[in-house]
Amino acid sequence: MTPPETSFVPSANIAQLKESATIAVSQRAKALRAAGRAIIDLGAGEPDFDTPALIRKAAQDAIDNGATRYTATEGILPLRTAIAERASALRQRTAGGETITPAEVVVSSGSKQSLYNACMALFGPGDEVLIPTPSWTSYYEMVSLARATAVPVHGKPECGFKVTPAELATSTTARTRGLMLNSPVNPTGSVYSRDELSALLGFARERGLWVISDEIYRRICYDGEAVSSLDVAESRDRLVVVDGVAKAYAMTGWRIGWTISVVPLAKAMTAFQSHTTFNPAAVSQAAALAALTGGAAVDATVTAMVGEFRARRDAAMALLAGEPSIQVNPPKGTFYLFLRAPGAGIVPEAGTAFARRLLEAHDVAVVPGAAFRTPDWIRVSYAAEIGQVESAVRRIIAAYRSA
Ligand code: PLP
C-alpha cells in the first residue's frame, strides 16, 4: 500500500535540522545485515557492555517499591544529593572547600537533554557559540535550534585537534556568548590536560563567555580520569558541567544525564524541562542512584570496562602502526579512533566516500567525519568485541591499500 499523500513542510524551527549521521550509518548497517551481509558495525556511540548487575537489580527493586510515578522535575533529592557530593569532591580538590548543593543539579533524560536545556536557557537569536571542531554532531544542531549561531573553531590534527585560546580568539566577536567544551572528545579521543583546560576556561572567563563542559566520557580515559572543569575553573559563575551515566556505567538506554550550574540557571532549565518532558523516568533515576552510590563493586566494573577498551585500542593501534600511510589520532580516552581517509585533501568529502566504500565493499560500518565537520576523516568506534575490532581494522587497512 502506498502511504497517503502529505502536505507536510517542516516549520522554520527545524527546516535546517540535519539527520544524525551516526544513526543513518547504523540504519544502513542494519539493513545490510538483514539482507544477510556479515557487517562489523563500528559506528556505534555506546559501550557494548551490559549495565552492571547491581544496578539492574536496584532498578527492579525500585519498580516494586513504587518508583512508578512522577517525581520532581529536576530529579529525586537522593540522586541530586549523590551527584552534588561527587561534584563537591572534585571541586574541593582545587577550589578550597566549595560545596555544590543539590539545588544546583538538574537531572534530565540523558545528557543530550541536559545539553539542550542549557543551550535553550543560555543562547538565543544573535548569539554566537564557539564549538571546537571536530565535535559531536548534536552541538551544532542544538545551538541552531536555540536560534543562535554555531561557530566551528578547527583544531589542528597535529595537536590532536585540540583548540587553544589563540584559536578561539580569532573566531570571537562582540556577539560571542558561549563555548562548548568536551573532554575526552568525541570523535577524536583526545583529552585536554589540566593546563590546556585551565587556559580555555581562563579565556572564557576573561571574555565573559558561558562554558558548557560536556564530561560524559570523563571516566573513559586511559591515563587516569580526565580533568573536570569543576577541578580547574576559578569560578563556577558561568560554568555548566554536563555529565551522565550513559558511557561510564554502560547505561545508554536508561537516559539519565544532569547539569551542575548556578541556582538561577538550574531553575530556568527546570522550568523549561517541566514544559517539555518533565521528570526523567523514575526507575532510571533509581538505577542512576545505584550507579553513583554502588561504591567499590560498581567502580570495579567501570575499571574493567575501561581496561577492555584500552586493550582494544592498543590492539587496533598495533595493527595501524604497521601501515604508516594511515594518519590516525592516537586516542587517550573515549572509544573512538579518528582516521584520515585516503584521498583527503584531493577528493572532496574523502571521509564520506571512504566510509561508503568500507560499508558497501568491505562490510565495515564507520561514521564519516562530515558528521563532525571534518569531511576528510572517519570515526571508528571500538565498542565491539576485540576480535571484531581487529578484523575491521584489517579490512580498513586493506581498503586503504586498494584506494
Ligand atoms: N555528549 C557526547 C559528546 C556524546 O558523544 C553523547 C552520546 O553519544 C552524549 C553527550 C549524549 O549522551 P546521553 O546518552 O547521556 O544523552
Side-chain angles (χ1 to χ4, degrees):
M1 223 171 75
T2 46
E5 274 191 25
T6 170
S7 53
F8 168 69
V9 184
S11 73
N13 294 332
I14 62 156
Q16 305 301 321
L17 201 65
K18 293 187 192 71
E19 185 195 9
S20 159
T22 336
I23 293 170
V25 167
S26 86
Q27 278 172 354
R28 177 74 186 136
K30 276 197 191 107
L32 289 175
R33 252 192 206 146
R37 297 258 299 270
I39 304 291
I40 304 181
D41 187 355
L42 300 189
E46 60 179 335
D48 54 315
F49 297 91
D50 288 334
T51 301
L54 187 154
I55 299 172
R56 300 199 308 262
K57 177 74 175 57
Q60 283 158 5
D61 291 347
I63 293 175
D64 292 338
N65 292 326
T68 55
R69 294 171 183 259
Y70 293 137
T71 72
T73 305
E74 66 275 30
I76 55 173
L77 185 59
L79 177 56
R80 286 183 295 116
T81 303
I83 293 165
E85 278 171 6
R86 285 192 161 217
S88 298
L90 278 174
R91 189 77 186 136
Q92 285 171 356
R93 290 213 285 237
T94 49
E98 190 189 353
T99 300
I100 290 160
T101 64
E104 293 163 286
V105 178
V106 179
V107 183
S108 302
S109 303
S111 67
K112 197 173 233 186
Q113 188 183 20
S114 307
L115 288 158
Y116 184 61
N117 285 347
C119 287
M120 289 299 281
L122 289 171
F123 311 131
D127 292 336
E128 294 176 358
V129 181
L130 304 175
I131 306 184
T133 298
S135 87
W136 186 48
T137 178
S138 294
Y139 298 147
Y140 308 103
E141 304 300 334
M142 288 182 187
V143 168
S144 300
L145 284 169
R147 292 179 295 157
T149 304
V151 180
V153 181
H154 287 267
K156 294 193 186 76
E158 59 273 25
C159 303
F161 295 94
K162 290 187 277 186
V163 298
T164 61
E167 284 161 347
L168 293 177
T170 57
S171 298
T172 303
T173 72
R175 291 180 299 282
T176 309
R177 184 162 158 84
L179 166 64
M180 305 291 291
L181 288 184
N182 173 221
S183 175
V185 185
N186 175 8
T188 59
S190 290
V191 178
Y192 283 84
S193 70
R194 176 174 293 273
D195 288 348
E196 289 165 342
L197 191 58
S198 184
L200 296 183
L201 291 167
F203 167 85
R205 192 163 150 72
E206 270 166 30
R207 309 285 176 122
L209 308 184
W210 277 93
V211 173
I212 300 179
S213 182
D214 177 353
E215 305 187 353
I216 191 79
Y217 293 97
R218 200 172 61 80
R219 293 190 72 184
I220 305 180
C221 191
Y222 306 119
D223 306 307
E225 283 187 358
V227 183
S228 167
S229 291
L230 287 172
D231 204 348
V232 290
E234 249 182 67
S235 156
R236 289 195 302 115
D237 185 38
R238 292 193 177 203
L239 176 64
V240 187
V241 172
V242 176
D243 204 343
V245 292
K247 315 285 176 174
Y249 303 101
M251 291 178 71
T252 46
W254 298 83
R255 312 306 304 131
I256 294 290
W258 55 81
T259 49
I260 296 164
S261 72
V262 288
V263 172
L265 174 57
K267 284 193 172 149
M269 291 190 290
T270 301
F272 179 65
Q273 183 167 300
S274 76
H275 293 297
T276 50
T277 57
F278 198 11
N279 65 277
V283 62
S284 296
Q285 293 188 60
L289 179 60
L292 296 188
T293 56
V298 171
D299 280 343
T301 64
V302 177
T303 307
M305 182 179 76
V306 174
E308 179 59 30
F309 280 139
R310 178 190 282 114
R312 295 171 188 179
R313 177 203 60 172
D314 292 348
M317 290 301 285
L319 289 171
L320 288 164
E323 193 64 31
S325 63
I326 302 184
Q327 196 180 334
V328 51
N329 188 55
K332 305 258 191 297
T334 73
F335 37 80
Y336 306 118
L337 290 168
F338 206 52
L339 307 183
R340 194 155 190 259
I346 306 160
V347 187
E349 298 260 340
T352 309
F354 190 49
R356 193 177 305 124
R357 199 151 59 79
L358 281 174
L359 184 57
E360 305 297 339
H362 299 269
D363 291 349
V364 177
V366 301
V367 180
F372 315 105
R373 309 242 171 157
T374 35
D376 281 345
W377 295 71
I378 59 165
R379 188 193 78 177
V380 180
S381 160
Y382 45 95
E385 190 265 311
I386 193 160
Q388 295 240 306
V389 173
E390 286 173 332
S391 308
V393 171
R394 285 197 188 96
R395 292 184 201 179
I396 291 171
I397 293 172
Y400 213 96
R401 285 186 184 150
S402 65

